[in-house]
Amino acid sequence: MRDYEVVIGLEVHAQLKTKSKIFCSCSTQFGAGPNENTCPVCTGMPGMLPVLNARAVEYAVKMAMAVDCTVNRRSLFARKNYFYPDLPMGYQISQFELPVAEHGHIVIHTEKGEKRIGITRIHMENDAGKNIHSATDNASYVDLNRAGVPLIEIVSEPDMRSAEEAVAYLKSLRAILVYLGICDGNLEEGSFRCDANVSIRPRGQEEFGTRAELKNMNSFRNIQRAIEYEVERQIDLVEDGEQVVQETRLFDTAKGVTRSMRGKEEAHDYRYFPDPDLLPLIIKEEQMVKWRGELPELPEARCRRFQEELGLPGYDSLVLTAEKEVADYFETALATYTEPKKISNWVMGEVMRELNDRGATLAECKLRAQDLARLVKLVDDGLVSGTIAKNVFKELFETGGDPEAYVKAKGLVQISDTSAIEGLVDEVLAENPSEVERYKGGDKKLTGFFVGQVMKKSKGKANPGLVNQLLAKKLG
Ligand code: ADP
Ligand code: MG
Ligand code: ZN
Protein backbone atom coordinates (compact mmCIF):
# COMPACT_ATOMS: atom_id res chain seq x y z
CA MET A 1 0.00 0.00 0.00
CA ARG A 2 1.20 3.47 -0.78
CA ASP A 3 1.74 6.09 1.90
CA TYR A 4 -1.03 8.67 1.91
CA GLU A 5 -1.23 12.13 3.36
CA VAL A 6 -4.49 13.36 4.84
CA VAL A 7 -5.68 16.88 4.02
CA ILE A 8 -8.40 18.53 6.09
CA GLY A 9 -10.06 21.94 5.91
CA LEU A 10 -12.82 22.89 8.31
CA GLU A 11 -15.88 25.10 8.10
CA VAL A 12 -17.18 26.14 11.50
CA HIS A 13 -20.52 27.77 12.13
CA ALA A 14 -20.66 29.61 15.43
CA GLN A 15 -23.92 31.00 16.77
CA LEU A 16 -23.37 34.45 18.16
CA LYS A 17 -24.76 35.17 21.61
CA THR A 18 -26.69 38.30 20.72
CA LYS A 19 -30.03 38.97 22.40
CA SER A 20 -31.84 39.47 19.11
CA LYS A 21 -31.57 37.98 15.65
CA ILE A 22 -29.27 39.26 12.94
CA PHE A 23 -31.83 41.04 10.75
CA CYS A 24 -34.84 41.58 13.05
CA SER A 25 -35.51 42.20 16.74
CA CYS A 26 -36.86 38.72 17.57
CA SER A 27 -35.33 37.03 20.60
CA THR A 28 -32.66 34.39 20.12
CA GLN A 29 -33.59 32.75 23.43
CA PHE A 30 -33.37 28.96 23.25
CA GLY A 31 -36.29 26.89 24.54
CA ALA A 32 -39.30 29.00 23.51
CA GLY A 33 -42.38 27.28 22.12
CA PRO A 34 -42.37 26.50 18.37
CA ASN A 35 -42.36 29.65 16.24
CA GLU A 36 -42.77 31.96 19.23
CA ASN A 37 -39.64 33.92 18.38
CA THR A 38 -40.63 34.95 14.88
CA CYS A 39 -41.80 38.01 12.96
CA PRO A 40 -42.52 38.89 9.33
CA VAL A 41 -38.79 39.46 8.63
CA CYS A 42 -37.44 36.12 9.83
CA THR A 43 -40.38 34.20 8.41
CA GLY A 44 -39.67 35.69 4.99
CA MET A 45 -42.88 37.66 4.43
CA PRO A 46 -42.76 39.53 1.13
CA GLY A 47 -41.74 43.16 1.34
CA MET A 48 -40.16 43.01 4.78
CA LEU A 49 -36.74 44.59 5.10
CA PRO A 50 -33.76 43.26 7.08
CA VAL A 51 -31.90 45.58 9.46
CA LEU A 52 -28.41 44.50 10.46
CA ASN A 53 -27.76 43.88 14.18
CA ALA A 54 -24.77 46.02 15.23
CA ARG A 55 -23.85 43.65 18.06
CA ALA A 56 -23.49 40.77 15.59
CA VAL A 57 -21.02 42.88 13.60
CA GLU A 58 -19.10 43.68 16.78
CA TYR A 59 -18.82 40.00 17.65
CA ALA A 60 -17.75 38.98 14.15
CA VAL A 61 -15.07 41.68 14.09
CA LYS A 62 -13.81 40.75 17.56
CA MET A 63 -13.43 37.16 16.45
CA ALA A 64 -11.62 38.34 13.35
CA MET A 65 -9.21 40.35 15.48
CA ALA A 66 -8.66 37.44 17.87
CA VAL A 67 -7.50 35.18 15.03
CA ASP A 68 -5.39 37.83 13.33
CA CYS A 69 -7.61 38.31 10.31
CA THR A 70 -7.61 41.38 8.16
CA VAL A 71 -10.96 43.06 8.73
CA ASN A 72 -12.52 44.28 5.53
CA ARG A 73 -13.71 47.77 6.38
CA ARG A 74 -16.25 47.41 3.62
CA SER A 75 -18.00 44.09 3.13
CA LEU A 76 -21.09 42.92 1.30
CA PHE A 77 -24.11 40.78 2.02
CA ALA A 78 -25.20 38.35 -0.65
CA ARG A 79 -28.14 36.06 -1.19
CA LYS A 80 -27.34 32.38 -1.31
CA ASN A 81 -30.31 30.88 -3.06
CA TYR A 82 -31.65 27.46 -2.26
CA PHE A 83 -34.95 25.89 -1.38
CA TYR A 84 -35.61 24.14 1.90
CA PRO A 85 -38.65 24.24 4.20
CA ASP A 86 -36.63 25.68 7.08
CA LEU A 87 -35.58 28.63 4.89
CA PRO A 88 -38.79 30.55 4.14
CA MET A 89 -37.07 33.40 2.29
CA GLY A 90 -35.74 30.99 -0.32
CA TYR A 91 -32.25 32.33 0.30
CA GLN A 92 -29.81 32.72 3.11
CA ILE A 93 -28.31 36.15 3.64
CA SER A 94 -24.59 35.51 3.74
CA GLN A 95 -21.38 37.08 2.55
CA PHE A 96 -19.69 35.87 -0.57
CA GLU A 97 -17.38 38.09 -2.55
CA LEU A 98 -16.36 40.45 0.21
CA PRO A 99 -16.59 38.81 3.63
CA VAL A 100 -16.12 40.76 6.84
CA ALA A 101 -12.66 39.28 7.43
CA GLU A 102 -9.92 37.24 5.70
CA HIS A 103 -6.40 35.84 6.02
CA GLY A 104 -6.05 34.96 9.68
CA HIS A 105 -4.50 32.09 11.56
CA ILE A 106 -4.34 30.37 14.91
CA VAL A 107 -1.67 28.24 16.54
CA ILE A 108 -2.59 24.73 17.62
CA HIS A 109 -0.78 22.38 19.99
CA THR A 110 -0.63 18.64 19.49
CA GLU A 111 1.79 15.96 20.60
CA LYS A 112 3.88 16.89 17.58
CA GLY A 113 4.25 20.45 18.85
CA GLU A 114 2.99 23.80 17.62
CA LYS A 115 1.48 24.42 14.22
CA ARG A 116 -0.07 27.38 12.48
CA ILE A 117 -3.42 26.84 10.77
CA GLY A 118 -4.57 29.44 8.27
CA ILE A 119 -8.03 30.94 8.38
CA THR A 120 -9.27 31.76 4.93
CA ARG A 121 -12.22 33.93 5.82
CA ILE A 122 -14.91 34.77 8.34
CA HIS A 123 -18.31 35.77 7.12
CA MET A 124 -21.63 36.63 8.71
CA GLU A 125 -24.92 34.99 7.88
CA ASN A 126 -28.29 34.03 9.31
CA ASP A 127 -29.12 30.58 10.62
CA ALA A 128 -32.00 28.57 9.15
CA GLY A 129 -34.96 27.18 11.11
CA LYS A 130 -35.41 23.56 12.07
CA ASN A 131 -37.43 20.81 10.45
CA ILE A 132 -38.84 18.39 12.95
CA HIS A 133 -39.87 15.00 11.64
CA SER A 134 -42.27 13.22 13.93
CA ALA A 135 -42.65 9.48 13.59
CA THR A 136 -45.53 9.34 16.06
CA ASP A 137 -47.91 11.48 14.02
CA ASN A 138 -46.22 10.82 10.68
CA ALA A 139 -45.73 14.50 9.97
CA SER A 140 -43.03 17.10 9.54
CA TYR A 141 -43.03 20.45 11.28
CA VAL A 142 -41.07 23.62 10.79
CA ASP A 143 -39.88 25.68 13.75
CA LEU A 144 -38.50 29.07 12.73
CA ASN A 145 -37.25 30.20 16.13
CA ARG A 146 -33.68 29.63 14.98
CA ALA A 147 -34.24 31.28 11.59
CA GLY A 148 -32.31 34.54 11.64
CA VAL A 149 -30.07 33.75 14.59
CA PRO A 150 -26.67 35.28 13.74
CA LEU A 151 -23.85 32.99 12.69
CA ILE A 152 -20.28 33.50 11.75
CA GLU A 153 -18.75 30.96 9.45
CA ILE A 154 -15.04 30.48 9.94
CA VAL A 155 -13.38 28.74 7.01
CA SER A 156 -9.92 27.26 7.45
CA GLU A 157 -7.22 26.65 4.90
CA PRO A 158 -6.73 22.94 4.08
CA ASP A 159 -3.80 22.95 6.52
CA MET A 160 -4.60 20.07 8.83
CA ARG A 161 -2.99 16.69 8.29
CA SER A 162 -4.73 14.44 10.81
CA ALA A 163 -7.91 14.06 12.82
CA GLU A 164 -5.93 15.07 15.93
CA GLU A 165 -4.93 18.34 14.30
CA ALA A 166 -8.51 18.97 13.24
CA VAL A 167 -9.79 18.45 16.78
CA ALA A 168 -7.00 20.60 18.24
CA TYR A 169 -7.93 23.37 15.81
CA LEU A 170 -11.60 23.14 16.73
CA LYS A 171 -10.90 23.16 20.45
CA SER A 172 -8.68 26.15 20.06
CA LEU A 173 -11.22 28.03 17.95
CA ARG A 174 -13.98 27.18 20.38
CA ALA A 175 -11.89 28.39 23.31
CA ILE A 176 -11.32 31.74 21.60
CA LEU A 177 -15.05 32.17 20.97
CA VAL A 178 -15.85 31.35 24.59
CA TYR A 179 -13.09 33.62 25.95
CA LEU A 180 -14.53 36.42 23.81
CA GLY A 181 -17.94 35.70 25.30
CA ILE A 182 -19.56 35.70 21.88
CA CYS A 183 -20.62 32.04 21.54
CA ASP A 184 -21.59 29.22 23.91
CA GLY A 185 -19.45 26.78 21.95
CA ASN A 186 -21.89 23.96 22.62
CA LEU A 187 -21.45 21.18 20.07
CA GLU A 188 -24.35 19.05 21.30
CA GLU A 189 -26.84 21.89 21.19
CA GLY A 190 -25.44 23.09 17.88
CA SER A 191 -24.20 26.54 18.81
CA PHE A 192 -20.80 25.38 17.46
CA ARG A 193 -21.03 23.22 14.34
CA CYS A 194 -18.36 21.84 12.11
CA ASP A 195 -18.21 20.52 8.56
CA ALA A 196 -15.02 18.65 7.81
CA ASN A 197 -13.59 18.56 4.30
CA VAL A 198 -11.37 15.52 3.98
CA SER A 199 -9.17 14.29 1.16
CA ILE A 200 -6.10 12.13 0.74
CA ARG A 201 -3.16 12.23 -1.64
CA PRO A 202 -0.12 10.04 -2.13
CA ARG A 203 2.61 11.51 0.04
CA GLY A 204 4.78 13.80 -2.01
CA GLN A 205 2.04 14.73 -4.47
CA GLU A 206 1.39 18.45 -4.53
CA GLU A 207 -2.08 18.45 -6.01
CA PHE A 208 -4.96 17.92 -3.58
CA GLY A 209 -7.20 14.91 -3.86
CA THR A 210 -10.95 15.14 -4.29
CA ARG A 211 -12.61 15.96 -1.00
CA ALA A 212 -15.67 14.73 0.77
CA GLU A 213 -17.51 17.08 3.09
CA LEU A 214 -18.56 15.47 6.38
CA LYS A 215 -21.53 16.72 8.38
CA ASN A 216 -23.57 15.75 11.39
CA MET A 217 -20.89 15.40 14.03
CA ASN A 218 -21.91 16.88 17.34
CA SER A 219 -18.93 16.16 19.56
CA PHE A 220 -15.17 16.33 19.28
CA ARG A 221 -15.12 12.58 19.66
CA ASN A 222 -17.46 12.11 16.72
CA ILE A 223 -15.51 14.53 14.57
CA GLN A 224 -12.40 12.49 15.24
CA ARG A 225 -14.20 9.21 14.49
CA ALA A 226 -15.81 10.55 11.33
CA ILE A 227 -12.52 11.82 9.90
CA GLU A 228 -10.69 8.61 10.74
CA TYR A 229 -13.37 6.50 9.13
CA GLU A 230 -13.47 8.72 6.06
CA VAL A 231 -9.70 8.59 5.59
CA GLU A 232 -9.79 4.78 5.67
CA ARG A 233 -12.70 4.72 3.24
CA GLN A 234 -10.92 6.97 0.76
CA ILE A 235 -7.66 5.03 0.98
CA ASP A 236 -9.54 1.76 0.37
CA LEU A 237 -11.27 3.27 -2.65
CA VAL A 238 -8.07 4.54 -4.20
CA GLU A 239 -6.22 1.32 -3.44
CA ASP A 240 -9.02 -0.56 -5.21
CA GLY A 241 -8.47 1.62 -8.26
CA GLU A 242 -11.65 3.60 -7.75
CA GLN A 243 -12.13 7.33 -7.35
CA VAL A 244 -13.28 9.54 -4.52
CA VAL A 245 -16.26 11.60 -5.62
CA GLN A 246 -16.89 15.11 -4.39
CA GLU A 247 -19.95 14.84 -2.18
CA THR A 248 -21.49 15.61 1.16
CA ARG A 249 -21.50 12.69 3.59
CA LEU A 250 -23.33 12.30 6.88
CA PHE A 251 -21.72 10.69 9.89
CA ASP A 252 -23.79 7.91 11.42
CA THR A 253 -22.98 8.14 15.11
CA ALA A 254 -24.39 4.74 15.99
CA LYS A 255 -22.56 2.83 13.26
CA GLY A 256 -19.46 5.00 13.17
CA VAL A 257 -19.54 5.32 9.37
CA THR A 258 -20.03 8.16 6.87
CA ARG A 259 -22.75 7.87 4.27
CA SER A 260 -23.34 9.75 1.05
CA MET A 261 -26.07 12.37 1.42
CA ARG A 262 -25.88 14.34 -1.80
CA GLY A 263 -23.52 15.37 -4.55
CA LYS A 264 -21.58 18.43 -3.52
CA GLU A 265 -23.03 21.66 -4.80
CA GLU A 266 -20.71 24.31 -6.22
CA ALA A 267 -20.84 28.00 -5.44
CA HIS A 268 -22.45 28.76 -8.81
CA ASP A 269 -25.34 26.45 -7.94
CA TYR A 270 -26.40 28.98 -5.36
CA ARG A 271 -26.69 31.91 -7.78
CA TYR A 272 -25.11 34.26 -5.28
CA PHE A 273 -25.86 37.93 -5.87
CA PRO A 274 -25.53 41.05 -3.70
CA ASP A 275 -28.57 41.51 -1.47
CA PRO A 276 -30.31 44.66 -2.70
CA ASP A 277 -32.01 45.10 0.70
CA LEU A 278 -28.76 45.61 2.59
CA LEU A 279 -26.21 48.38 2.20
CA PRO A 280 -22.53 47.50 2.18
CA LEU A 281 -21.29 47.05 5.72
CA ILE A 282 -18.84 49.84 6.53
CA ILE A 283 -16.79 49.58 9.71
CA LYS A 284 -15.38 52.85 10.96
CA GLU A 285 -11.91 53.35 12.36
CA GLU A 286 -13.22 54.43 15.75
CA GLN A 287 -15.28 51.25 16.04
CA MET A 288 -12.22 49.17 15.23
CA VAL A 289 -10.22 50.96 17.92
CA LYS A 290 -12.99 50.60 20.50
CA TRP A 291 -13.52 46.90 19.82
CA ARG A 292 -9.83 46.13 19.83
CA GLY A 293 -9.57 47.83 23.20
CA GLU A 294 -12.36 45.65 24.53
CA LEU A 295 -10.75 42.33 23.61
CA PRO A 296 -10.28 40.22 26.72
CA GLU A 297 -7.19 38.22 27.53
CA LEU A 298 -7.22 35.29 25.10
CA PRO A 299 -6.01 31.71 25.67
CA GLU A 300 -2.53 32.24 24.23
CA ALA A 301 -1.85 35.31 26.34
CA ARG A 302 -3.26 33.69 29.43
CA CYS A 303 -1.08 30.64 28.86
CA ARG A 304 1.98 32.86 28.59
CA ARG A 305 1.01 34.75 31.75
CA PHE A 306 0.59 31.49 33.68
CA GLN A 307 4.15 30.58 32.76
CA GLU A 308 5.76 33.96 33.21
CA GLU A 309 3.91 35.30 36.23
CA LEU A 310 2.85 32.17 38.06
CA GLY A 311 5.90 30.13 37.15
CA LEU A 312 3.83 27.19 35.94
CA PRO A 313 5.30 24.69 33.46
CA GLY A 314 4.26 25.12 29.82
CA TYR A 315 2.24 21.93 29.90
CA ASP A 316 0.19 22.98 32.94
CA SER A 317 -0.41 26.40 31.44
CA LEU A 318 -1.69 24.94 28.19
CA VAL A 319 -4.00 22.46 29.88
CA LEU A 320 -5.37 25.01 32.34
CA THR A 321 -6.05 27.71 29.77
CA ALA A 322 -7.51 25.47 27.06
CA GLU A 323 -10.97 26.09 28.45
CA LYS A 324 -12.01 29.36 29.98
CA GLU A 325 -14.05 27.87 32.78
CA VAL A 326 -11.11 25.73 33.90
CA ALA A 327 -8.73 28.69 33.83
CA ASP A 328 -11.23 30.81 35.74
CA TYR A 329 -11.70 28.06 38.33
CA PHE A 330 -7.95 27.75 38.73
CA GLU A 331 -7.44 31.47 39.17
CA THR A 332 -10.29 31.81 41.64
CA ALA A 333 -8.78 29.02 43.72
CA LEU A 334 -5.40 30.68 43.49
CA ALA A 335 -6.82 33.89 44.92
CA THR A 336 -7.68 31.94 48.10
CA TYR A 337 -4.44 29.97 48.37
CA THR A 338 -1.47 31.32 46.45
CA GLU A 339 0.28 28.07 45.59
CA PRO A 340 0.13 27.90 41.77
CA LYS A 341 1.75 24.52 41.26
CA LYS A 342 -0.20 22.84 44.05
CA ILE A 343 -3.52 24.21 42.84
CA SER A 344 -2.56 23.32 39.28
CA ASN A 345 -1.84 19.72 40.29
CA TRP A 346 -5.23 19.47 41.91
CA VAL A 347 -7.14 21.01 39.03
CA MET A 348 -5.29 19.02 36.37
CA GLY A 349 -5.38 15.87 38.49
CA GLU A 350 -8.38 15.37 40.74
CA VAL A 351 -10.74 17.90 39.20
CA MET A 352 -10.20 16.89 35.60
CA ARG A 353 -10.15 13.20 36.42
CA GLU A 354 -13.49 13.53 38.18
CA LEU A 355 -14.96 15.49 35.26
CA ASN A 356 -13.70 12.84 32.86
CA ASP A 357 -15.05 9.95 34.93
CA ARG A 358 -18.44 11.59 35.15
CA GLY A 359 -18.44 12.97 31.64
CA ALA A 360 -19.31 16.23 33.37
CA THR A 361 -18.40 19.87 32.82
CA LEU A 362 -16.96 22.13 35.47
CA ALA A 363 -20.33 23.84 35.82
CA GLU A 364 -21.57 20.61 37.42
CA CYS A 365 -18.87 20.63 40.09
CA LYS A 366 -20.55 21.98 43.24
CA LEU A 367 -17.29 22.50 45.09
CA ARG A 368 -16.45 26.16 44.61
CA ALA A 369 -12.92 27.06 43.57
CA GLN A 370 -12.37 28.85 46.90
CA ASP A 371 -13.26 25.68 48.76
CA LEU A 372 -10.99 23.54 46.60
CA ALA A 373 -8.20 25.93 47.59
CA ARG A 374 -9.12 25.49 51.27
CA LEU A 375 -9.00 21.73 50.85
CA VAL A 376 -5.53 21.89 49.32
CA LYS A 377 -4.44 24.06 52.23
CA LEU A 378 -5.84 21.56 54.74
CA VAL A 379 -3.48 18.98 53.28
CA ASP A 380 -0.53 21.35 53.49
CA ASP A 381 -1.41 22.24 57.08
CA GLY A 382 -1.41 18.55 57.95
CA LEU A 383 -5.04 18.58 59.00
CA VAL A 384 -5.95 15.89 56.50
CA SER A 385 -3.95 13.40 54.46
CA GLY A 386 -3.65 13.72 50.69
CA THR A 387 -5.49 10.46 50.15
CA ILE A 388 -8.40 11.45 52.34
CA ALA A 389 -8.51 14.89 50.74
CA LYS A 390 -9.04 13.21 47.36
CA ASN A 391 -12.03 11.35 48.73
CA VAL A 392 -13.34 14.51 50.33
CA PHE A 393 -13.12 16.18 46.95
CA LYS A 394 -15.15 13.40 45.33
CA GLU A 395 -17.82 13.79 48.02
CA LEU A 396 -17.95 17.57 47.89
CA PHE A 397 -18.07 17.54 44.09
CA GLU A 398 -21.74 16.67 44.44
CA THR A 399 -22.73 18.85 47.36
CA GLY A 400 -20.19 21.60 47.75
CA GLY A 401 -19.44 22.97 51.19
CA ASP A 402 -16.64 24.01 53.50
CA PRO A 403 -14.02 21.24 53.44
CA GLU A 404 -12.75 21.92 56.95
CA ALA A 405 -16.22 21.67 58.48
CA TYR A 406 -16.82 18.51 56.44
CA VAL A 407 -13.55 16.87 57.49
CA LYS A 408 -14.24 17.63 61.15
CA ALA A 409 -17.85 16.50 61.04
CA LYS A 410 -16.85 13.20 59.40
CA GLY A 411 -13.97 12.61 61.79
CA LEU A 412 -11.41 12.61 58.99
CA VAL A 413 -8.91 14.88 60.66
CA GLN A 414 -5.42 13.48 60.41
CA ILE A 415 -4.04 11.96 63.61
CA SER A 416 -0.81 13.77 64.42
CA ASP A 417 -0.86 12.92 68.06
CA THR A 418 2.27 10.83 68.72
CA SER A 419 0.85 8.80 71.57
CA ALA A 420 -2.27 7.84 69.58
CA ILE A 421 -0.16 6.66 66.66
CA GLU A 422 2.29 4.95 68.94
CA GLY A 423 -0.57 2.84 70.27
CA LEU A 424 -1.46 1.74 66.76
CA VAL A 425 2.15 0.99 65.88
CA ASP A 426 2.47 -1.19 68.97
CA GLU A 427 -0.69 -3.07 68.06
CA VAL A 428 0.53 -3.75 64.54
CA LEU A 429 3.92 -4.98 65.70
CA ALA A 430 2.30 -7.23 68.31
CA GLU A 431 -0.08 -8.71 65.75
CA ASN A 432 2.65 -9.50 63.23
CA PRO A 433 5.51 -11.16 65.10
CA SER A 434 6.82 -13.16 62.14
CA GLU A 435 7.07 -10.03 59.95
CA VAL A 436 8.90 -8.29 62.77
CA GLU A 437 11.34 -11.21 62.86
CA ARG A 438 11.91 -11.03 59.12
CA TYR A 439 12.40 -7.28 59.30
CA LYS A 440 14.97 -7.64 62.01
CA GLY A 441 16.60 -10.35 59.93
CA GLY A 442 17.20 -7.72 57.23
CA ASP A 443 14.01 -7.60 55.12
CA LYS A 444 13.68 -3.80 55.28
CA LYS A 445 11.08 -3.78 52.53
CA LEU A 446 8.56 -4.76 55.18
CA THR A 447 8.42 -1.14 56.33
CA GLY A 448 5.78 -0.57 53.67
CA PHE A 449 3.73 -3.43 55.04
CA PHE A 450 3.84 -2.03 58.59
CA VAL A 451 2.97 1.50 57.45
CA GLY A 452 0.07 0.10 55.47
CA GLN A 453 -1.25 -1.81 58.49
CA VAL A 454 -1.07 1.25 60.71
CA MET A 455 -2.79 3.40 58.08
CA LYS A 456 -5.50 0.79 57.78
CA LYS A 457 -6.09 0.71 61.52
CA SER A 458 -6.32 4.48 61.59
CA LYS A 459 -8.74 4.45 58.62
CA GLY A 460 -6.20 6.43 56.65
CA LYS A 461 -6.06 9.20 59.21
CA ALA A 462 -2.63 8.63 60.75
CA ASN A 463 -0.01 11.15 59.69
CA PRO A 464 2.23 8.96 57.46
CA GLY A 465 5.36 10.91 58.35
CA LEU A 466 4.84 10.22 62.03
CA VAL A 467 4.00 6.58 61.38
CA ASN A 468 7.31 6.15 59.58
CA GLN A 469 9.24 7.88 62.31
CA LEU A 470 7.69 5.80 65.08
CA LEU A 471 8.16 2.55 63.20
CA ALA A 472 11.81 3.30 62.59
CA LYS A 473 12.27 4.05 66.27
CA LYS A 474 10.52 0.88 67.47
CA LEU A 475 12.08 -1.49 64.96
CA GLY A 476 15.50 0.07 64.87
P1 ADP B 1 -17.54 25.08 0.03
O1 ADP B 1 -17.38 23.82 0.84
O2 ADP B 1 -18.65 25.91 0.58
O3 ADP B 1 -17.65 24.80 -1.40
P2 ADP B 1 -14.75 26.03 -0.17
O4 ADP B 1 -14.51 25.60 -1.54
O5 ADP B 1 -14.30 27.39 0.20
O6 ADP B 1 -16.28 26.01 0.27
O7 ADP B 1 -14.00 25.01 0.77
C1 ADP B 1 -14.42 24.75 2.05
C2 ADP B 1 -13.35 24.06 2.87
O8 ADP B 1 -12.81 22.95 2.19
C3 ADP B 1 -12.19 24.94 3.27
O9 ADP B 1 -12.00 24.80 4.64
C4 ADP B 1 -11.01 24.37 2.51
O10 ADP B 1 -9.84 24.47 3.25
C5 ADP B 1 -11.41 22.92 2.38
N1 ADP B 1 -10.82 22.24 1.22
C6 ADP B 1 -10.79 22.64 -0.04
N2 ADP B 1 -10.22 21.72 -0.83
C7 ADP B 1 -9.91 20.66 -0.03
C8 ADP B 1 -9.31 19.39 -0.26
N3 ADP B 1 -8.94 18.98 -1.46
N4 ADP B 1 -9.14 18.58 0.81
C9 ADP B 1 -9.52 18.95 2.02
N5 ADP B 1 -10.09 20.14 2.29
C10 ADP B 1 -10.28 20.99 1.28
MG1 MG C 1 -18.42 23.42 2.51
ZN1 ZN D 1 -37.95 38.06 13.44
Side-chain angles (χ1 to χ4, degrees), residues 138-437:
N138 195 25
S140 289
Y141 299 91
V142 181
D143 180 1
L144 295 177
N145 283 346
R146 204 181 63 181
V149 166
L151 298 177
I152 47 175
E153 178 171 342
I154 305 155
V155 182
S156 86
E157 289 292 306
D159 284 349
M160 285 147 282
R161 294 289 173 271
S162 66
E164 291 74 35
E165 285 187 8
V167 170
Y169 167 84
L170 290 168
K171 285 188 172 168
S172 182
L173 210 59
R174 177 183 176 280
I176 294 169
L177 289 161
V178 173
Y179 269 72
L180 287 169
I182 65 174
C183 172
D184 290 335
N186 192 322
L187 279 79
E188 273 102 50
E189 285 175 11
S191 58
F192 182 93
R193 310 194 279 267
C194 163
D195 298 343
N197 296 272
V198 178
S199 66
I200 55 160
R201 60 181 171 188
R203 200 171 291 280
Q205 176 182 307
E206 208 167 310
E207 196 188 326
F208 285 143
T210 304
R211 71 185 147 124
E213 184 186 53
L214 311 183
K215 286 182 183 282
N216 199 36
M217 304 155 297
N218 63 355
S219 68
F220 290 123
R221 174 94 196 92
N222 283 339
I223 291 164
Q224 171 116 16
R225 287 168 69 207
I227 293 174
E228 282 168 356
Y229 174 87
E230 181 61 19
V231 168
E232 288 305 311
R233 189 189 71 87
Q234 292 186 12
I235 291 177
D236 286 348
L237 271 181
V238 174
E239 286 288 306
D240 289 348
E242 291 173 57
Q243 279 184 343
V244 176
V245 289
Q246 181 157 328
E247 61 183 355
T248 299
R249 300 179 67 87
L250 287 187
F251 182 61
D252 180 331
T253 316
K255 300 216 167 71
V257 303
T258 65
R259 240 186 246 121
S260 179
M261 176 171 91
R262 56 167 189 249
K264 171 80 185 123
E265 60 293 314
E266 303 278 349
H268 63 248
D269 295 328
Y270 288 117
R271 303 290 190 272
Y272 279 99
F273 66 90
D275 192 314
D277 289 342
L278 285 155
L279 292 167
L281 168 59
I282 308 287
I283 300 166
K284 295 198 190 106
E285 177 64 24
E286 64 224 54
Q287 282 173 317
M288 293 285 289
V289 171
K290 177 168 180 287
W291 290 339
R292 193 173 285 283
E294 289 168 359
L295 290 181
E297 185 183 39
L298 293 168
E300 245 187 87
R302 200 171 195 182
C303 180
R304 227 176 304 121
R305 178 166 61 82
F306 278 17
Q307 293 175 68
E308 287 165 8
E309 287 177 21
L310 304 178
L312 284 179
Y315 177 76
D316 292 45
S317 307
L318 255 185
V319 172
L320 292 172
T321 55
E323 277 186 69
K324 183 170 185 292
E325 58 174 2
V326 174
D328 288 347
Y329 191 86
F330 167 78
E331 288 210 76
T332 308
L334 201 59
T336 297
Y337 187 43
T338 326
E339 285 286 347
K341 184 56 185 157
K342 282 181 181 156
I343 302 280
S344 165
N345 287 346
W346 266 81
V347 173
M348 296 203 317
E350 296 318 302
V351 177
M352 291 201 170
R353 178 162 31 244
E354 196 63 20
L355 294 178
N356 248 331
D357 289 351
R358 293 167 180 262
T361 64
L362 200 46
E364 293 162 61
C365 174
K366 295 280 168 37
L367 187 68
R368 299 181 316 152
Q370 297 89 319
D371 291 324
L372 177 84
R374 289 191 184 102
L375 180 60
V376 178
K377 188 162 186 303
L378 291 185
V379 179
D380 285 352
D381 292 348
L383 195 73
V384 63
S385 73
T387 314
I388 287 186
K390 288 176 185 174
N391 291 328
V392 170
F393 171 73
K394 281 194 173 59
E395 291 297 320
L396 293 181
F397 186 100
E398 305 233 330
T399 56
D402 175 25
E404 185 167 350
Y406 180 87
V407 160
K408 287 186 170 156
K410 296 268 171 177
L412 298 171
V413 174
Q414 179 157 271
I415 306 169
S416 296
D417 168 5
T418 314
S419 59
I421 296 178
E422 199 163 6
L424 298 175
V425 169
D426 288 341
E427 278 178 38
V428 167
L429 298 182
E431 285 163 12
N432 300 281
S434 64
E435 278 79 6
V436 173
E437 277 313 303

Side-chain angles (χ1 to χ4, degrees), residues 421-466:
I421 296 178
E422 199 163 6
L424 298 175
V425 169
D426 288 341
E427 278 178 38
V428 167
L429 298 182
E431 285 163 12
N432 300 281
S434 64
E435 278 79 6
V436 173
E437 277 313 303
R438 274 166 53 208
Y439 181 90
K440 292 194 166 153
D443 191 355
K444 302 293 180 208
K445 285 204 301 289
L446 279 165
T447 309
F449 166 77
F450 294 124
V451 173
Q453 292 300 306
V454 176
M455 292 309 288
K456 204 163 147 193
K457 269 192 191 293
S458 74
K459 302 200 170 62
K461 292 187 291 182
N463 181 322
L466 276 179

Side-chain angles (χ1 to χ4, degrees), residues 21 23-27 37-43 144 147-148:
K21 294 186 179 180
F23 297 121
C24 63
S25 57
C26 289
S27 167
N37 295 340
T38 58
C39 74
V41 174
C42 55
T43 53
L144 295 177

Side-chain angles (χ1 to χ4, degrees), residues 62-212:
K62 284 183 172 171
M63 182 59 183
M65 289 171 168
V67 297
D68 282 322
C69 275
T70 305
V71 174
N72 288 324
R73 303 287 290 280
R74 177 176 178 278
S75 65
L76 298 174
F77 285 96
R79 292 187 180 179
K80 180 180 183 181
N81 300 281
Y82 67 95
F83 171 79
Y84 210 58
D86 64 11
L87 190 77
M89 293 192 294
Y91 57 87
Q92 180 187 33
I93 303 178
S94 183
Q95 298 193 294
F96 184 57
E97 263 156 318
L98 255 183
V100 69
E102 295 172 281
H103 315 307
H105 71 269
I106 62 172
V107 174
I108 61 165
H109 302 264
T110 62
E111 278 175 8
K112 288 189 177 161
E114 283 189 6
K115 181 171 171 181
R116 218 175 131 123
I117 306 292
I119 289 175
T120 316
R121 52 187 271 145
I122 298 179
H123 61 254
M124 305 177 63
E125 58 191 26
N126 64 299
D127 209 344
K130 266 184 187 158
N131 295 328
I132 297 150
H133 307 292
S134 164
T136 41
D137 43 8
N138 195 25
S140 289
Y141 299 91
V142 181
D143 180 1
L144 295 177
N145 283 346
R146 204 181 63 181
V149 166
L151 298 177
I152 47 175
E153 178 171 342
I154 305 155
V155 182
S156 86
E157 289 292 306
D159 284 349
M160 285 147 282
R161 294 289 173 271
S162 66
E164 291 74 35
E165 285 187 8
V167 170
Y169 167 84
L170 290 168
K171 285 188 172 168
S172 182
L173 210 59
R174 177 183 176 280
I176 294 169
L177 289 161
V178 173
Y179 269 72
L180 287 169
I182 65 174
C183 172
D184 290 335
N186 192 322
L187 279 79
E188 273 102 50
E189 285 175 11
S191 58
F192 182 93
R193 310 194 279 267
C194 163
D195 298 343
N197 296 272
V198 178
S199 66
I200 55 160
R201 60 181 171 188
R203 200 171 291 280
Q205 176 182 307
E206 208 167 310
E207 196 188 326
F208 285 143
T210 304
R211 71 185 147 124

